[in-house]
Amino acid sequence: MKIEKLGGDVFKVTISGPTKTEHKVTVTDNNHKRLTDGRVKKEELLEFSVNFLLQREPNNSILSSFYIIEIQNYFEEY
């Protein structure tokens, strides 16, 4: 997995596997604080969150663009 900051609150996450996928994930300061209380960097939150998703679905099923907070809409345990 490769995480690159594109600018502002948007990151590009590239996932290698049988199929290589790219995802634009938005992590606002408010969502970062809400999810981590600022204890980890945004990139660490992204890595945890994408790994969380990959444990539940293949990378080609992950939305190509989303706000990180939306994960809880699909997975209550997030």
Side-chain angles (χ1 to χ4, degrees):
M1 174 186 333
K2 182 178 177 185
I3 298 171
E4 300 173 64
K5 186 168 184 164
L6 295 179
D9 296 331
V10 181
F11 294 81
K12 179 170 82 171
V13 179
T14 304
I15 304 170
S16 298
T19 304
K20 181 179 174 182
T21 58
E22 292 184 351
H23 312 270
K24 288 185 181 174
V25 185
T26 302
V27 184
T28 64
D29 291 340
N30 285 340
N31 289 336
H32 176 244
K33 182 169 176 52
R34 179 176 169 201
L35 292 169
T36 70
D37 201 26
R39 291 180 296 233
V40 300
K41 295 178 184 178
K42 287 183 178 182
E43 290 84 354
E44 292 173 293
L45 172 61
L46 267 170
E47 184 174 355
F48 169 84
S49 299
V50 172
N51 281 325
F52 173 89
L53 290 172
L54 289 171
Q55 291 173 359
R56 287 154 181 80
E57 60 187 3
N59 62 326
N60 59 355
S61 292
I62 298 172
L63 296 172
S64 61
S65 181
F66 61 95
Y67 281 78
I68 199 161
I69 202 73
E70 292 178 285
I71 296 171
Q72 66 188 17
N73 294 338
Y74 298 94
F75 300 98
E76 188 177 290
E77 67 274 23
Y78 176 75

